Amino acid sequence: MNIHRLKDTIINRIAAGEVVERPASVVKELVENAIDAGADRIEITTAGGGKNLIRVHDNGSGIAANELELAVSRHCTSKMADNIHDIRSLGFRGEALPSIASVAHLRLASRAGESTAGAEITVAGGRRAPVRPAAIQSGTVVEVRDLFYATPARLKFLKSDQAEAAAISDNVKRLAIAFPHIRFSLSGTERLIIDLPAAPLFAAAAQAAAKPEAEPGNEEDIARAQAYHSRLIQILGRDFAENSVGLNARRENVHIFGFIGIPSYHRGNALHQFAYVNGRPVRDKIISAALRAAYADMLPAGRHAVAALFLQLDPAHVDVNVHPAKADVRFRDAGLIRGLIIGAIRQVLEQAGARPATTAAAALIKAAEANRQAGNKTAYQAYEAAYYRDRQSETAPFIKAGNKAPVAFAAASGAYPAGRGRITGFAEDPAPWHETEDEIVPAPAAPLLTDNKASAPALPGMWPQPFPPAADFRLPEDNQDEAEADEQHAAMAQFPLGAAKAQIHQNYIIAQTENSLIIVDQHAAHERLVYEALKQALYAEPLASQMLLIPEIIELPPEDIARLLSHAEFLQKFGLVFEPFGNHALAVRETPALLGQINVQKLMRDLADEAAEHDTAGGLKDRLDYVAATMACHGSVRSGRRLKPQEMNALLRQMEQVPQSGTCNHGRPTFIELKLTDIEKLFARR
Ligand code: ADP
Ligand code: MG
């Protein structure tokens, strides 16, 4: 289609405003143009974080020499005729090239498919030079140099070259996910290199069709899904393949498909959530809120799911003309979209074996009943059977351990496994829950709270202790007579969470109250306590830090280093002290005392993730809770840590003091309680 000027009536209805905020937005506009031009090869080169140079070369349809001037004129586009409610291309406003040309040096060289020679036009500060011949084989090259050269005030607002380069690479990845058949490459002086070969769409289609397991009639869907999946793996890594499941659902002409991480595969920020509406990358509140809701009771506090969701709906039902950067959309029926996303994710996760632990007690009781009926089944098998009967789910075949997952694709609303299907979940756990003899740690009847106090640093209020090694621990027989022990034990049983009796599987504390049995997930519980304490500390004085004997050197990508350094002062308030170490590393000197022994490497990486996400949205400071959550996760007693009896009891007492600790740890329960009456039911005593 030819480039023409939009009608005034349409111009007036287009969301007005700046499209060029930073180098990454220039890259986004240019790459979108290349995609709209039908390119299947797009090469991006940058220098100085895109401030000095951005070059985008594509092999698309090109622009005829006599249209070059129009291409750089305002409101001129080849993409939209006269219906702003039916937009099927990424661009539609005819604003990008002229806007860029008004704040930078622009060179546009192109050769349309049918032309025998190429031509170019240059514009500097809005002034156009005449069109002249150019040596170009095919497609289009757009070069943008010295962005904001005439507006030093704007330049000042840009971040470091590394940070701008990182934003560029984020934008390229985001677009690349939506167009897996296009080969993208990005190179630049910041040594950020991306090379994403085209996913073999057609080969995959042929392959899929030949597979006997494939559902008939869905070859195209499968091929498409595989193409997207392989692009996601290029970007997110092999991990993602092993820890994700496919999703495919439809409701009232809205189609959603994509890939979502299983709940145990979570990240420190939401940067790994990608959403697309009719192929357009969007950052939409409805979609991200729906994602959060869908995973609400399955993720630990402050962690985020990984997901790529593609929504397909009638363009008339979604307004993309909300913001000049076109990343915002408005759905005509937001409720439908939200319901569809939450429903589809929940269903798929359930099939994948991820179950909220809240149903554990009920399922256990059902299992026992089933066990009695089934006679010779193991309790575990019965548990599993009861669980599935409860859900009326016949869709569990691919979640069994070691089961090679067939690529079955349930078209209407089902799920297909991504990758080779290592899906972690209860059902896969090979260890039945009741075989624990060798792991039981005997607990003495008496709490040794006073000893614990002495060995832990004196912290204000109800600090969770970082569990110092209890070297002075002795079994009660050594220093107590039996009567005394019994007495103390009885006293303990009156606490809501009772007296700790044992630790099993190195993560679950079994405690006894007067009328129930308590099972505590020690990791979840402690994480919650540390989190609450960290949050409190922020509103008081800086937290105590502990000096590392030898500073820990952490190598990080330059953009992460820049981000972390910009928050160094703030993080010091938490007791985390670090400084630059050469160009590619940070030296961490002090860590928050509260966290005890931690993996500093991993903490810093998670904080960098955190900073990356909140960089633009008002800064990390507004996200104290997130920082606290990230740190809490690191400072918590990991499952697998054997606790001394007094440590267990101390944890129970702390949990009782922090109201949030028991009921809900951002969804996951930290403990479950089996009333004596429930237990009696289990043994058919009632
Ligand atoms: P829009 O994309 O909204 O139409 P732009 O200012 O980005 O506005 O581009 C103006 C026009 O220039 C486009 O409509 C298109 O016809 C042409 N154009 C821009 N970039 C390319 C490209 N890489 N290949 C082919 N045509 C292009
Ligand atoms: Mg455009």
Side-chain angles (χ1 to χ4, degrees):
M1 194 196 277
N2 295 337
I3 303 180
H4 56 275
R5 190 172 189 276
L6 291 168
K7 290 188 196 138
D8 284 344
T9 47
I10 292 198
I11 291 175
N12 296 336
R13 296 173 67 182
I14 281 178
E18 192 60 74
V19 287
V20 190
E21 279 172 4
R22 59 194 294 194
S25 42
V26 172
V27 170
K28 172 173 181 283
E29 293 293 335
L30 298 182
V31 172
E32 286 185 353
N33 280 347
I35 295 169
D36 281 344
D40 63 13
R41 178 96 183 81
I42 301 176
E43 274 169 35
I44 306 138
T45 314
T46 67
K51 297 172 205 168
N52 303 341
L53 169 74
I54 293 168
R55 183 194 298 121
V56 177
H57 188 177
D58 69 61
N59 65 351
S61 60
I63 307 171
N66 62 359
E67 294 199 326
L68 286 174
E69 279 204 24
L70 275 178
V72 295
S73 307
R74 282 200 76 187
H75 305 309
C76 292
T77 176
S78 57
K79 298 170 194 173
M80 185 168 51
D82 43 32
N83 188 359
I84 199 164
H85 299 298
D86 189 15
I87 293 166
R88 290 167 192 271
S89 49
L90 293 170
F92 56 88
R93 309 164 69 246
E95 290 266 32
L97 293 181
S99 308
I100 295 166
S102 67
V103 293
H105 296 286
L106 178 98
R107 185 175 88 97
L108 171 63
S110 193
R111 179 164 162 182
E114 65 278 10
S115 319
T116 50
E120 69 174 33
I121 189 169
T122 52
V123 196
R127 221 182 289 262
R128 269 178 237 159
V131 173
R132 55 173 193 210
I136 176 166
Q137 291 300 313
S138 67
T140 303
V141 181
V142 185
E143 249 172 44
V144 177
R145 285 180 192 275
D146 309 323
L147 186 63
F148 298 141
Y149 70 97
T151 46
R154 301 281 303 268
L155 261 183
K156 258 202 289 191
F157 274 99
L158 296 184
K159 303 211 167 76
S160 67
D161 289 2
Q162 282 84 359
E164 293 300 337
I168 289 174
S169 112
D170 280 350
N171 272 0
V172 172
K173 286 178 188 165
R174 218 158 254 280
L175 277 163
I177 287 173
F179 300 93
H181 64 288
I182 300 177
R183 173 170 195 157
F184 287 86
S185 61
L186 167 66
S187 55
T189 49
E190 276 65 52
R191 275 176 290 154
L192 280 182
I193 293 168
I194 302 182
D195 190 19
L196 305 168
L201 261 188
F202 301 107
Q207 240 179 1
K211 276 212 174 92
E213 308 97 320
E215 291 220 348
N218 267 314
E219 290 82 16
E220 223 178 275
D221 270 358
I222 296 172
R224 208 161 48 120
Q226 285 180 341
Y228 284 101
H229 192 229
S230 54
R231 175 57 51 89
L232 278 168
I233 292 167
Q234 289 172 349
I235 287 174
L236 295 172
R238 263 274 138 210
D239 281 23
F240 184 71
E242 278 149 21
N243 290 291
S244 60
V245 278
L247 170 98
N248 187 39
R250 226 177 268 276
R251 195 184 285 179
E252 292 178 37
N253 292 329
V254 183
H255 180 202
I256 182 174
F257 76 99
F259 299 88
I260 56 170
I262 56 172
S264 56
Y265 180 73
H266 42 66
R267 306 292 290 247
N269 64 30
L271 275 185
H272 304 277
Q273 296 177 351
F274 304 93
Y276 302 86
V277 174
N278 292 343
R280 177 189 303 282
V282 298
R283 292 174 199 273
D284 179 72
K285 288 208 178 71
I286 308 250
I287 299 176
S288 47
L291 254 170
R292 224 174 305 123
Y295 281 89
D297 51 5
M298 298 186 230
L299 292 182
R303 304 295 294 178
H304 300 262
V306 179
L309 297 177
F310 303 88
L311 279 147
Q312 222 67 51
L313 68 167
D314 182 342
H317 290 222
V318 54
D319 187 0
V320 292
N321 179 35
V322 180
H323 184 269
K326 300 168 294 185
D328 292 336
V329 291
R330 200 168 290 143
F331 295 108
R332 190 181 279 183
D333 188 349
L336 171 72
I337 303 294
R338 183 181 157 85
L340 176 62
I341 294 175
I342 296 178
I345 292 179
R346 293 238 146 190
Q347 189 188 357
V348 164
L349 289 183
E350 217 159 85
Q351 288 166 351
R355 304 161 217 171
T358 41
T359 57
L364 188 59
I365 290 167
K366 278 221 176 73
E369 279 161 11
N371 194 18
R372 280 199 293 279
Q373 283 155 19
N376 58 355
K377 267 192 193 157
T378 69
Y380 183 72
Q381 284 168 331
Y383 173 95
E384 199 179 42
Y387 181 83
Y388 284 112
R389 198 166 39 249
D390 210 25
R391 312 254 139 173
Q392 297 170 325
S393 168
E394 299 82 49
T395 45
F398 61 80
I399 65 172
K400 292 285 161 52
N403 191 0
K404 274 255 156 50
V407 181
F409 190 92
S413 61
Y416 48 91
R420 283 178 314 277
R422 208 202 92 79
I423 295 160
T424 57
F426 225 168
E428 188 194 49
D429 188 345
W433 57 272
H434 54 281
E435 283 176 12
T436 56
E437 282 91 336
D438 56 339
E439 301 231 302
I440 289 180
V441 179
L448 300 172
L449 274 179
T450 42
D451 292 359
N452 204 29
K453 246 185 220 143
S455 56
L459 288 162
M462 43 191 167
W463 291 116
Q465 311 296 332
F467 292 113
D472 51 352
F473 167 64
R474 271 165 298 159
L475 284 173
E477 302 86 74
D478 298 344
N479 63 349
Q480 258 183 329
D481 67 50
E482 223 166 286
E484 196 185 336
D486 278 354
E487 200 177 303
Q488 287 200 16
H489 182 86
M492 292 277 282
Q494 287 173 9
F495 284 111
L497 293 178
K501 300 293 284 181
Q503 182 198 32
I504 60 167
H505 283 297
Q506 301 187 29
N507 184 50
Y508 299 100
I509 298 169
I510 310 291
Q512 175 183 339
T513 71
E514 282 174 325
N515 61 0
S516 70
L517 167 80
I518 306 274
I519 307 173
V520 176
D521 176 336
Q522 75 186 37
H523 176 66
H526 193 247
E527 177 172 331
R528 182 66 189 210
L529 291 171
V530 173
Y531 173 60
E532 293 299 330
L534 280 168
K535 275 203 304 186
Q536 277 206 358
L538 287 170
Y539 305 103
E541 310 99 82
L543 279 173
S545 62
Q546 64 187 19
M547 188 87 95
L548 299 179
L549 278 181
I550 307 163
E552 179 124 8
I553 306 302
I554 313 222
E555 285 186 32
L556 288 167
E559 63 269 23
D560 284 347
I561 292 184
R563 282 174 183 137
L564 285 171
L565 284 174
S566 68
H567 296 294
E569 203 182 318
F570 162 68
L571 289 168
Q572 193 160 0
K573 214 172 130 75
F574 284 96
L576 183 65
V577 180
F578 57 91
E579 60 202 31
F581 186 84
N583 286 331
H584 302 286
L586 290 173
V588 179
R589 305 202 166 276
E590 294 170 38
T591 59
L594 187 59
L595 300 187
Q597 288 291 338
I598 50 166
N599 181 339
V600 185
Q601 296 270 354
K602 195 164 175 305
L603 172 65
M604 295 302 282
R605 269 174 232 287
D606 278 5
L607 285 173
D609 271 4
E610 203 65 61
E613 191 191 13
H614 300 304
D615 225 15
T616 47
L620 207 56
K621 289 182 191 57
D622 299 338
R623 307 294 176 131
L624 301 181
D625 289 1
Y626 289 98
V627 178
T630 305
M631 289 204 179
C633 183
H634 285 270
S636 305
V637 199
R638 296 277 155 194
S639 38
R641 161 102 149 72
R642 228 169 247 250
L643 293 188
K644 300 284 180 279
Q646 69 268 50
E647 293 177 326
M648 291 190 243
N649 279 315
L651 183 65
L652 298 181
R653 300 293 82 82
Q654 286 169 3
M655 287 173 72
E656 285 158 0
Q657 287 173 56
V658 178
Q660 300 90 327
S661 71
T663 44
C664 165
N665 178 17
H666 277 219
R668 280 200 293 143
T670 56
F671 70 89
I672 56 173
E673 179 172 24
L674 277 176
K675 291 279 181 208
L676 215 50
T677 50
D678 290 338
I679 299 173
E680 284 167 350
K681 271 189 211 143
L682 285 172
F683 291 101
R685 281 166 167 259
R686 283 179 176 238

